[in-house]
Amino acid sequence: MEAILTRHLDPAKPLGLEAYRAAGGYRSLAAAFDLKPEAIIRTVEAANLRGRGGAGFSCGLKWRFRGLDAPRPRYLVCNLDESEPGTFKDRHLLYGGPHQILEAVIVAAYALQVERAIIFIRGEYAHGAARLTLALAEAKAAGLVGANIDGSGFDLKIEIHLSAGRYICGEETALLNALEGRRPNPRHKPPRPSVKGLWGQPTTTNNVETLVNVPHILLNGADWFCGLGVNGGCGPKLYGVSGKVHQPGLFERPMGTTARELIFNHGGGLAEGRTLLGFLPGGASTAFLLPEHLDMPMDFDPVARAGSRLGTGGIIVLDDASCPVAIALNLMRFFARESCGFCTPCRDGLPYLEQILAAIHAGEGRAEDLPLLEELCDKIAPQSFCAFAPGAIMPLTSSLHCFREHYEQHIATGRCPFDAANEGGA
Amino acid sequence: MITLQELERHLAQLAPDHPERRAAVVPAMQALQAERGHLDDAAVAEVAQLTGQSTTEVEELATFYSLIYRRPVGRHVLQICDSACCSMRGADRLLASAEKTSDVSMGEVTSDGTLSVLPSICLGLCDRAPAALIDGEALGPLDEAALEALLRRLRGKG
Amino acid sequence: MGMIRIDGRDIPFEEGDNVLKAALAAGVEIPHFCYHDALGSLGACRLCAVEITPEEPDPLNPNKRPRVMMACLEPAREGLELSLSAAAARGAREGVIELLMTNHPHDCPVCDEGGECHLQDMTVACGPPYRRYRGRKRTFPNQYLGPLVHHEMNRCITCYRCTRFYRDYALGDDFGAMRLRNEVYFGRFQEGPLESPFAGNLVEVCPTGVFTDALFRQHFTRGWELETAPSICPHCSVGCNTLPGARDGTLRRVRNRHHPELNRWFLCDRGRYGHQYSEHVARPLLPHIAGETVSYHKAVAAAAEQIKVAGAGLGGLGSAREDLEGNALLRALMTRLNGGFAAFSDPALEAATAGAVSQHHKAPSLVEMEQADAALIVGDLTAHAPMMDLALRQAYRQGAPLAVLHNTPTPLARLAATALTVSPREMGAHLSRLSELVADPATGSGNEAALIAIAACLTAARQPIVAGVVETLSALEIAALAQLTTVLGARARLTYALPGANAYGAALLAPTGSSTALLEAVETGRIQTLIVAGNDPLGDTRLGSRWLAARQRLDTLIVLDCIATATAEAADILLPVAAWTERSGSFVNYEGRAQGFAPVFQRPEPLPTITEVITDLAQVLDLALPDVAAVLSDVFPGYQAPAPGAHGAAIPVFPLPARIDTVSHPDRGLDHGPWQAALAAWYGDDPLASFAPALMELTPAVVARIAPVAARTKGIEDETQVMLRGPAGTLTLPVQLDDGVAVDTVALTRAMLVQLGIGHGDPIDMEIIS
């Protein structure tokens, strides 16, 4: 397929305003102003654009649910807090194409008729945020952001907020607390943020990759967008392939591309003599898929039917030299460390799981540890306050299911079969 | 990142109890940290003055965020990712090597004040694993040799 | 309004209730940690798991299967069916406890909280009996949080109740939740005493032993070994209900006792920690005659002798901090012997209190104060009735604008929509002006913006509260406050912080002008024997030196008290009496609510009550004195002694004529020098609590506070040494600039005023030394 979202990305030297415009940038504004908000929302819904931040919820539906006459002021938040292991698509969008992001935010803000949009960027992307700041200044100077954009009568303020770390800030309601200057614990729903979000006002949050699809949908139509996908998917998808592959990278492919194609055609396949153990289809908070799933379309519904989640579409590949126990431990350590500490199951449950996994990996596991892990997973995931802990549990539960014999071997032999001599023990 | 001056100008326009005053706490912490190297107790108090919060309220946030340093860091900060992909591609060895080469423990400052090495969550550089940030700039894929060269250069520059 | 069903039992609920709240109100003990009736639902602990039965169960439809939800976050609705005992719910709760126990230290045998520990109860009720976790526990260092609250962070279960109470409910700002994950740390930015007057409530709000009573620790006993009885706090006029605990003849601690209209869950630190006077090393326990220890009977005999000798030259001074029974019987004795009786050592305070009590406008309860939609506070309410401050903070949290007129710094000024510092000499005029502005807003002029705003705010409110501090107001000013309330109309409620736990009762018993009459009678020698019960006239601010001089003319000063006041030290015959936890009695609070307290324990050295002493005196004197019940029903027709533990009953009130004259309204120095003194009390400031060493560690700095704007025109800065001169003495102090002080006003502590012989609002000489 021809590149759409990645066509003008250049991380070495992103396009400035003039070059971006010359390449066709910001044309979608006129299209948006012509269509008007209600029609834009209908089009986006018809295009079946699903959230690229991990949840896969229909973007158009989310926008429609907020309601055209939600009380003012209203806010749009562009979530660029990408911190999910295995995920780097938003970094590419930010560093390589700041104006593409701004164009998307403007048309989305117009569709939602919000007065202020805030782009929330993780602190580790500070240099990218600096690029976006420059691009925003250019856009303001050119009248593309501010009062009466391009004579449309639409006023919009865009602000860039650079976060100060922590994975939980990417959770929608924790992000709102972070913006308000509060501790970034998640909030209870109801009320939903679309009703009471930032400072108690209706707030819509979308992942940056979701948003950058919108200008193209407006310019080319819903049917076109859907036609870009394969195997029932709609639109392009920025897939990441990383882990035990030759050529880790970002690949813009039709939504619904198979894992096989992504891992072997684009990711360069595995190292010499290695075989595929399994892969996480969309970042750390998903369930492992196995070689038998290689021909599965990497799209939300097929992956969900197989018991996993497409999530961010960042595929992490494990080969037969990877210790699944070590991976599970690494992931659990990550989640335990990033827990905000609000609710008991996550705060105290994840370190407990980490402790058991560490014992197993170090050869100090016991037979009863495996049913214990499963029992704890069952208690932790459903009872937590937000989706963080369920996301932490998912790879562990599936690892125990898919790679149980590895755990049993660690326990039986009292050591990790993949010792330190073997590529960092994983 | 917003400068302290821009921040003060922005805050001057807000009424003392405007909700967006406290919303400036993260940029305020970042701006002061950029000036001072890290956010010490005095800086926490200054942030509190700016945002109209108490020192405890600021401390609640300063101690939550991983990129706000409440203890001194070196002039250069090397953040080495230890998440899944980087771990699969040798991050543990890099972390150990960094400590050994610089003769500093994770989180401490080298004796000449030039460097701190910190582990980091996934940096979004999985396609360049094993990866790191040096003063916010992306590095990767790194091997021990490249890391050692970098560290020598940083310490030599002083 | 409706019914939910829990395990087949119908439970009523009110509109807006969550399931947990409704269940707890009905006595169904759904296990929980982070929920608290005062603090609401949070959803953090995840212990209150219940299984909800769907309306049309369908095992094939995942949305129509029974599901486990948190009861505190589940709105109660008609017909909701749920189960506490369902296996899934029990399993969820057991899981929560197991997880909390991975880090919780094995402290029970040495933890203060044991035996009254909510975590213990929940663990036994829900959790697995043994740990299977083999990992390390995370640990924390502790912080020194002051002399009242002990910190032990390892025990924390991260329920967030402490910070929700301290920050959200009490609006403190020097305590919070630091860090994240399983290292969340509740403490201060830096070690040091907690600043909130309500910090001690952390001890009761914390469901484990993170925050414990630092005083109780010093002489520890297990909760179940304590003798307890329902009691009433003696430290101010609010009359919070308490539960003191004693053992082995010593008072160990005071805890909250729920009253549905006054204090529901919380006490102030004065009430919680002021009890140390009871065990103070200097507490008078043995009778003295001229400094020599004697037996009780010898002391009573000697006192009776002096009473007989005095004939009609007998006087009795009761007290606003002594109970209704003691005051009434003392007065009865005086009446019987044609002696003079008063209950106040300062005529101005007597007149002000009488004025306040006589305008009894159905004062709002604390709970009603929480529901005000606007409030005017005159004076430092936080220092004189801390729990009224806490009640108004709840009104503030609901959006009620507060207006504060104050002479000295007060914590509520920070929360006020309009706060105005007013010197004592100008307060009356300001209050009158407010009435005028309410009656006719059009008369407001440009430089009255603050008063106009206050008037408008009060007028616009549907249930405004006007609150005054009697000790720093004159009778005239109190009349002005009453006038303001009248002008505002029937929806406005008036309330006062009165100067003592039983000030209301004392005012009803002491005829107006009696204080002046008594003092003059002693000064002129008409009274030769004076009985002082629970009062400290020699320690009075304005009149202490006059009483001291008058005392020289007395033949015999007989003092009945439980603390070593200046008056007790000067007694010819000292009869130590039982403190309030060692006897029964009644206090009438600021509302006119008579509340009874029961004896909690007996001391090893038995102490009589004031009524017992007077009864014994009457016996020795062969007087037929009616018993206390008869006396009280004589004074208050239809009076029934309120049973301790009941909610109290309104005391029958009769109008008190408030005589306004120069004695009761000392010249506020309109023509005198530039400076006026103002009483800067603080929340630990009361005669009994001044003998509580731990609380007294928190006494504010010994400085003279002056407004910056006033100071700079006179060349005064921070740390400038000044010499203050009053009729009774001089003081040299450093200055501290504070914009919470009115112009031309020097804010001084009570002890400083006593030393100078100056009262609130009196002129004062100030000279710069350096």
Tab-separated table of all heavy atoms in Angstrom, chain C residues 544-582:
chain	number	residue	atom	x	y	z
C	544	GLY	N	-7.041	40.610	87.062
C	544	GLY	CA	-6.235	39.763	87.928
C	544	GLY	C	-5.584	40.547	89.045
C	544	GLY	O	-5.600	40.138	90.217
C	545	SER	N	-5.005	41.684	88.703
C	545	SER	CA	-4.289	42.447	89.741
C	545	SER	C	-5.274	43.046	90.728
C	545	SER	O	-4.972	43.188	91.921
C	545	SER	CB	-3.408	43.515	89.110
C	545	SER	OG	-4.064	44.132	88.039
C	546	ARG	N	-6.453	43.400	90.259
C	546	ARG	CA	-7.455	43.934	91.185
C	546	ARG	C	-7.910	42.860	92.159
C	546	ARG	O	-8.049	43.099	93.360
C	546	ARG	CB	-8.663	44.459	90.426
C	546	ARG	CG	-8.951	45.928	90.682
C	546	ARG	CD	-10.112	46.431	89.887
C	546	ARG	NE	-11.312	46.553	90.721
C	546	ARG	CZ	-12.480	47.001	90.258
C	546	ARG	NH1	-12.616	47.311	88.985
C	546	ARG	NH2	-13.517	47.098	91.075
C	547	TRP	N	-8.134	41.669	91.616
C	547	TRP	CA	-8.520	40.546	92.486
C	547	TRP	C	-7.384	40.210	93.446
C	547	TRP	O	-7.625	39.877	94.609
C	547	TRP	CB	-8.888	39.319	91.657
C	547	TRP	CG	-10.301	39.302	91.151
C	547	TRP	CD1	-10.715	39.625	89.903
C	547	TRP	CD2	-11.464	38.952	91.896
C	547	TRP	NE1	-12.084	39.506	89.808
C	547	TRP	CE2	-12.571	39.093	91.023
C	547	TRP	CE3	-11.693	38.546	93.223
C	547	TRP	CZ2	-13.874	38.832	91.416
C	547	TRP	CZ3	-12.993	38.284	93.617
C	547	TRP	CH2	-14.086	38.427	92.724
C	548	LEU	N	-6.146	40.304	92.955
C	548	LEU	CA	-4.996	40.015	93.810
C	548	LEU	C	-4.951	41.005	94.971
C	548	LEU	O	-4.755	40.617	96.134
C	548	LEU	CB	-3.705	40.081	92.994
C	548	LEU	CG	-2.413	39.723	93.726
C	548	LEU	CD1	-2.475	38.284	94.239
C	548	LEU	CD2	-1.206	39.899	92.806
C	549	ALA	N	-5.153	42.261	94.659
C	549	ALA	CA	-5.178	43.275	95.711
C	549	ALA	C	-6.346	43.030	96.661
C	549	ALA	O	-6.198	43.096	97.881
C	549	ALA	CB	-5.272	44.658	95.074
C	550	ALA	N	-7.490	42.701	96.071
C	550	ALA	CA	-8.681	42.471	96.897
C	550	ALA	C	-8.468	41.291	97.835
C	550	ALA	O	-8.915	41.275	98.984
C	550	ALA	CB	-9.886	42.247	95.994
C	551	ARG	N	-7.784	40.282	97.318
C	551	ARG	CA	-7.533	39.080	98.099
C	551	ARG	C	-6.782	39.414	99.406
C	551	ARG	O	-6.986	38.748	100.432
C	551	ARG	CB	-6.718	38.091	97.242
C	551	ARG	CG	-6.428	36.750	97.885
C	551	ARG	CD	-5.023	36.696	98.436
C	551	ARG	NE	-4.803	35.460	99.162
C	551	ARG	CZ	-5.247	35.223	100.392
C	551	ARG	NH1	-5.990	36.133	101.013
C	551	ARG	NH2	-4.996	34.079	100.991
C	552	GLN	N	-5.948	40.451	99.353
C	552	GLN	CA	-5.194	40.832	100.553
C	552	GLN	C	-6.138	41.264	101.667
C	552	GLN	O	-5.796	41.165	102.846
C	552	GLN	CB	-4.208	41.976	100.245
C	552	GLN	CG	-3.247	41.720	99.076
C	552	GLN	CD	-2.506	40.409	99.191
C	552	GLN	OE1	-2.218	39.941	100.301
C	552	GLN	NE2	-2.220	39.787	98.065
C	553	ARG	N	-7.322	41.748	101.285
C	553	ARG	CA	-8.257	42.225	102.295
C	553	ARG	C	-9.075	41.092	102.897
C	553	ARG	O	-9.765	41.280	103.888
C	553	ARG	CB	-9.207	43.244	101.660
C	553	ARG	CG	-8.495	44.521	101.249
C	553	ARG	CD	-9.391	45.702	101.408
C	553	ARG	NE	-9.853	45.787	102.810
C	553	ARG	CZ	-10.445	46.850	103.323
C	553	ARG	NH1	-10.675	47.889	102.568
C	553	ARG	NH2	-10.854	46.865	104.575
C	554	LEU	N	-9.016	39.916	102.225
C	554	LEU	CA	-9.814	38.792	102.710
C	554	LEU	C	-9.180	38.180	103.948
C	554	LEU	O	-7.969	38.089	104.046
C	554	LEU	CB	-9.870	37.697	101.644
C	554	LEU	CG	-10.886	37.814	100.513
C	554	LEU	CD1	-10.667	36.664	99.548
C	554	LEU	CD2	-12.304	37.788	101.046
C	555	ASP	N	-10.037	37.718	104.826
C	555	ASP	CA	-9.535	36.899	105.913
C	555	ASP	C	-9.171	35.517	105.415
C	555	ASP	O	-8.127	34.974	105.739
C	555	ASP	CB	-10.611	36.734	107.000
C	555	ASP	CG	-10.745	38.002	107.822
C	555	ASP	OD1	-9.809	38.836	107.774
C	555	ASP	OD2	-11.774	38.165	108.514
C	556	THR	N	-10.114	34.987	104.664
C	556	THR	CA	-9.927	33.598	104.251
C	556	THR	C	-10.341	33.422	102.794
C	556	THR	O	-11.454	33.789	102.400
C	556	THR	CB	-10.800	32.645	105.103
C	556	THR	OG1	-10.618	32.976	106.470
C	556	THR	CG2	-10.431	31.196	104.862
C	557	LEU	N	-9.417	32.852	102.064
C	557	LEU	CA	-9.728	32.462	100.684
C	557	LEU	C	-9.793	30.943	100.649
C	557	LEU	O	-8.816	30.265	100.960
C	557	LEU	CB	-8.653	32.978	99.729
C	557	LEU	CG	-8.767	32.509	98.276
C	557	LEU	CD1	-10.066	33.013	97.628
C	557	LEU	CD2	-7.565	32.993	97.454
C	558	ILE	N	-10.968	30.438	100.341
C	558	ILE	CA	-11.165	28.992	100.243
C	558	ILE	C	-11.295	28.648	98.771
C	558	ILE	O	-12.121	29.232	98.077
C	558	ILE	CB	-12.441	28.549	100.984
C	558	ILE	CG1	-12.368	28.982	102.447
C	558	ILE	CG2	-12.657	27.045	100.858
C	558	ILE	CD1	-13.701	28.859	103.182
C	559	VAL	N	-10.472	27.727	98.272
C	559	VAL	CA	-10.493	27.387	96.848
C	559	VAL	C	-10.793	25.908	96.660
C	559	VAL	O	-10.183	25.054	97.309
C	559	VAL	CB	-9.162	27.740	96.170
C	559	VAL	CG1	-9.183	27.323	94.692
C	559	VAL	CG2	-8.881	29.232	96.290
C	560	LEU	N	-11.748	25.648	95.782
C	560	LEU	CA	-12.076	24.289	95.365
C	560	LEU	C	-11.701	24.177	93.895
C	560	LEU	O	-12.279	24.879	93.067
C	560	LEU	CB	-13.585	24.024	95.513
C	560	LEU	CG	-14.182	23.709	96.877
C	560	LEU	CD1	-13.853	24.766	97.920
C	560	LEU	CD2	-15.691	23.560	96.751
C	561	ASP	N	-10.731	23.325	93.561
C	561	ASP	CA	-10.347	23.203	92.159
C	561	ASP	C	-9.555	21.922	91.941
C	561	ASP	O	-9.145	21.255	92.898
C	561	ASP	CB	-9.537	24.425	91.695
C	561	ASP	CG	-9.786	24.756	90.219
C	561	ASP	OD1	-10.144	23.835	89.444
C	561	ASP	OD2	-9.628	25.928	89.824
C	562	CYS	N	-9.357	21.605	90.685
C	562	CYS	CA	-8.573	20.397	90.360
C	562	CYS	C	-7.271	20.748	89.643
C	562	CYS	O	-6.535	19.855	89.228
C	562	CYS	CB	-9.402	19.440	89.517
C	562	CYS	SG	-9.892	20.138	87.935
C	563	ILE	N	-7.009	22.038	89.440
C	563	ILE	CA	-5.742	22.438	88.824
C	563	ILE	C	-5.075	23.505	89.702
C	563	ILE	O	-5.747	24.203	90.456
C	563	ILE	CB	-5.918	22.982	87.392
C	563	ILE	CG1	-7.084	23.985	87.315
C	563	ILE	CG2	-6.129	21.846	86.401
C	563	ILE	CD1	-7.240	24.645	85.952
C	564	ALA	N	-3.767	23.603	89.589
C	564	ALA	CA	-2.984	24.513	90.440
C	564	ALA	C	-2.936	25.898	89.820
C	564	ALA	O	-1.890	26.356	89.377
C	564	ALA	CB	-1.579	23.946	90.608
C	565	THR	N	-4.108	26.570	89.821
C	565	THR	CA	-4.165	27.925	89.278
C	565	THR	C	-3.489	28.905	90.233
C	565	THR	O	-3.163	28.560	91.382
C	565	THR	CB	-5.618	28.376	89.106
C	565	THR	OG1	-6.220	28.406	90.425
C	565	THR	CG2	-6.399	27.433	88.209
C	566	ALA	N	-3.358	30.162	89.795
C	566	ALA	CA	-2.795	31.207	90.661
C	566	ALA	C	-3.667	31.375	91.897
C	566	ALA	O	-3.168	31.554	93.012
C	566	ALA	CB	-2.700	32.510	89.879
C	567	THR	N	-4.976	31.290	91.708
C	567	THR	CA	-5.881	31.431	92.834
C	567	THR	C	-5.734	30.262	93.799
C	567	THR	O	-5.727	30.446	95.025
C	567	THR	CB	-7.336	31.527	92.334
C	567	THR	OG1	-7.414	32.584	91.376
C	567	THR	CG2	-8.302	31.793	93.472
C	568	ALA	N	-5.609	29.057	93.266
C	568	ALA	CA	-5.432	27.877	94.115
C	568	ALA	C	-4.132	28.006	94.912
C	568	ALA	O	-4.073	27.646	96.083
C	568	ALA	CB	-5.430	26.618	93.264
C	569	GLU	N	-3.095	28.522	94.275
C	569	GLU	CA	-1.814	28.689	94.970
C	569	GLU	C	-1.915	29.715	96.092
C	569	GLU	O	-1.189	29.649	97.060
C	569	GLU	CB	-0.732	29.144	93.976
C	569	GLU	CG	-0.619	28.297	92.722
C	569	GLU	CD	0.481	27.263	92.815
C	569	GLU	OE1	1.629	27.608	92.511
C	569	GLU	OE2	0.169	26.113	93.191
C	570	ALA	N	-2.836	30.661	95.939
C	570	ALA	CA	-2.960	31.729	96.933
C	570	ALA	C	-3.968	31.381	98.018
C	570	ALA	O	-4.234	32.193	98.910
C	570	ALA	CB	-3.369	33.013	96.226
C	571	ALA	N	-4.537	30.175	97.950
C	571	ALA	CA	-5.617	29.832	98.877
C	571	ALA	C	-5.119	29.696	100.312
C	571	ALA	O	-4.024	29.203	100.550
C	571	ALA	CB	-6.266	28.518	98.443
C	572	ASP	N	-5.980	30.131	101.234
C	572	ASP	CA	-5.722	29.831	102.643
C	572	ASP	C	-6.105	28.385	102.916
C	572	ASP	O	-5.419	27.661	103.599
C	572	ASP	CB	-6.536	30.778	103.540
C	572	ASP	CG	-6.066	32.216	103.370
C	572	ASP	OD1	-4.841	32.440	103.442
C	572	ASP	OD2	-6.905	33.104	103.130
C	573	ILE	N	-7.264	28.017	102.404
C	573	ILE	CA	-7.719	26.633	102.523
C	573	ILE	C	-7.967	26.120	101.119
C	573	ILE	O	-8.793	26.667	100.396
C	573	ILE	CB	-9.014	26.524	103.351
C	573	ILE	CG1	-8.787	27.122	104.739
C	573	ILE	CG2	-9.478	25.070	103.426
C	573	ILE	CD1	-10.060	27.202	105.581
C	574	LEU	N	-7.211	25.086	100.763
C	574	LEU	CA	-7.367	24.508	99.435
C	574	LEU	C	-8.031	23.141	99.555
C	574	LEU	O	-7.534	22.271	100.261
C	574	LEU	CB	-6.012	24.372	98.746
C	574	LEU	CG	-6.017	23.672	97.388
C	574	LEU	CD1	-6.817	24.486	96.365
C	574	LEU	CD2	-4.593	23.462	96.879
C	575	LEU	N	-9.158	23.000	98.881
C	575	LEU	CA	-9.855	21.712	98.866
C	575	LEU	C	-9.852	21.177	97.437
C	575	LEU	O	-10.674	21.578	96.612
C	575	LEU	CB	-11.298	21.894	99.357
C	575	LEU	CG	-11.423	22.032	100.866
C	575	LEU	CD1	-12.625	22.869	101.257
C	575	LEU	CD2	-11.525	20.634	101.504
C	576	PRO	N	-8.916	20.277	97.131
C	576	PRO	CA	-8.899	19.723	95.781
C	576	PRO	C	-10.175	18.927	95.521
C	576	PRO	O	-10.668	18.232	96.410
C	576	PRO	CB	-7.682	18.785	95.773
C	576	PRO	CG	-6.866	19.222	96.944
C	576	PRO	CD	-7.833	19.740	97.955
C	577	VAL	N	-10.711	19.057	94.324
C	577	VAL	CA	-11.942	18.367	93.986
C	577	VAL	C	-11.737	17.453	92.776
C	577	VAL	O	-10.728	17.546	92.070
C	577	VAL	CB	-13.090	19.363	93.700
C	577	VAL	CG1	-13.515	20.066	94.966
C	577	VAL	CG2	-12.684	20.358	92.633
C	578	ALA	N	-12.732	16.611	92.590
C	578	ALA	CA	-12.688	15.668	91.474
C	578	ALA	C	-12.757	16.410	90.151
C	578	ALA	O	-13.522	17.356	89.998
C	578	ALA	CB	-13.848	14.686	91.583
C	579	ALA	N	-11.965	15.965	89.197
C	579	ALA	CA	-12.065	16.491	87.832
C	579	ALA	C	-13.316	15.920	87.173
C	579	ALA	O	-13.960	15.017	87.712
C	579	ALA	CB	-10.818	16.105	87.029
C	580	TRP	N	-13.609	16.408	85.987
C	580	TRP	CA	-14.898	16.039	85.403
C	580	TRP	C	-15.028	14.555	85.087
C	580	TRP	O	-16.121	14.014	85.100
C	580	TRP	CB	-15.187	16.922	84.186
C	580	TRP	CG	-14.971	16.338	82.819
C	580	TRP	CD1	-15.933	15.952	81.947
C	580	TRP	CD2	-13.729	16.081	82.157
C	580	TRP	NE1	-15.387	15.485	80.793
C	580	TRP	CE2	-14.017	15.542	80.890
C	580	TRP	CE3	-12.395	16.269	82.521
C	580	TRP	CZ2	-13.024	15.186	79.984
C	580	TRP	CZ3	-11.407	15.908	81.620
C	580	TRP	CH2	-11.731	15.373	80.368
C	581	THR	N	-13.908	13.858	84.873
C	581	THR	CA	-14.007	12.429	84.595
C	581	THR	C	-14.164	11.604	85.864
C	581	THR	O	-14.375	10.403	85.801
C	581	THR	CB	-12.741	11.923	83.871
C	581	THR	OG1	-11.596	12.513	84.496
C	581	THR	CG2	-12.771	12.294	82.403
C	582	GLU	N	-14.070	12.268	87.014
C	582	GLU	CA	-14.117	11.527	88.280
C	582	GLU	C	-15.436	11.734	88.989
C	582	GLU	O	-15.597	11.355	90.167
C	582	GLU	CB	-12.947	11.969	89.171
C	582	GLU	CG	-11.599	11.694	88.533
C	582	GLU	CD	-10.514	12.688	88.959
C	582	GLU	OE1	-10.762	13.507	89.877
C	582	GLU	OE2	-9.419	12.661	88.355
